[in-house]
């Protein structure tokens, strides 16, 4: 899987952390799916990423094999709505409730 962001904002650390969180969310979701498959509990989700009633329809089996489509779509949708921060202004983004918010200051 390859993630890349093309942006006009000089916020390398901010976008790098978003990519890192996407990979973390993917790994966490994969572990939950593996745990659910091994225990036979299709609804176990310690982080809240895999919710009851979630089926394979919500997952793309191509490039983003284990990342829920709605998480990636939501992430990209919210990123496109972010206003560029002014210099020395903080910008904040939270990919998922199970992950800490990303806060960076534009320098």
């Amino acid at each position: 899987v390859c993630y890349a962001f093309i942006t006009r904002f000089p916020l390398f650390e901010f976008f790098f952390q978003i990519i890192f969180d996407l990979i973390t969310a993917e790994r966490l979701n994969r572990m939950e799916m593996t745990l659910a498959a091994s225990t036979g509990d299709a609804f176990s989700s310690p982080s809240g990423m895999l919710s009851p009633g979630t089926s394979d329809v919500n997952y793309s089996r191509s490039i983003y094999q284990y990342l829920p489509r709605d998480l990636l779509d939501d992430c990209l949708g919210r990123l496109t709505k972010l206003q560029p921060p002014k210099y020395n202004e903080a910008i904040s983004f939270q990919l998922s409730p199970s992950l800490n918010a990303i806060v960076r200051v534009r320098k």
Side-chain angles (χ1 to χ4, degrees), residues 58-59 84 101:
N58 293 330
Y59 294 88

Side-chain angles (χ1 to χ4, degrees), residues 49 51 58-59 67-75:
M49 302 244 345
S51 58
N58 293 330
Y59 294 88
L67 190 63
R69 283 190 208 148
D70 55 344
L71 179 66
L72 185 60
D73 290 344
D74 177 60
C75 173

Side-chain angles (χ1 to χ4, degrees), residues 31-92:
M31 287 188 298
E32 289 173 352
M33 290 174 66
T34 303
L35 178 65
S38 68
T39 62
D41 182 9
F43 301 117
S44 66
S45 177
S47 74
M49 302 244 345
L50 187 61
S51 58
T54 302
S55 68
D56 286 339
V57 175
N58 293 330
Y59 294 88
S60 168
R61 292 295 177 206
S62 59
I63 296 172
Y64 309 107
Q65 185 173 2
Y66 295 103
L67 190 63
R69 283 190 208 148
D70 55 344
L71 179 66
L72 185 60
D73 290 344
D74 177 60
C75 173
L76 295 175
R78 289 187 296 135
L79 281 173
T80 58
K81 293 176 184 174
L82 278 179
Q83 294 296 318
K86 297 179 172 114
Y87 289 100
N88 296 319
E89 184 178 69
I91 186 169
S92 177

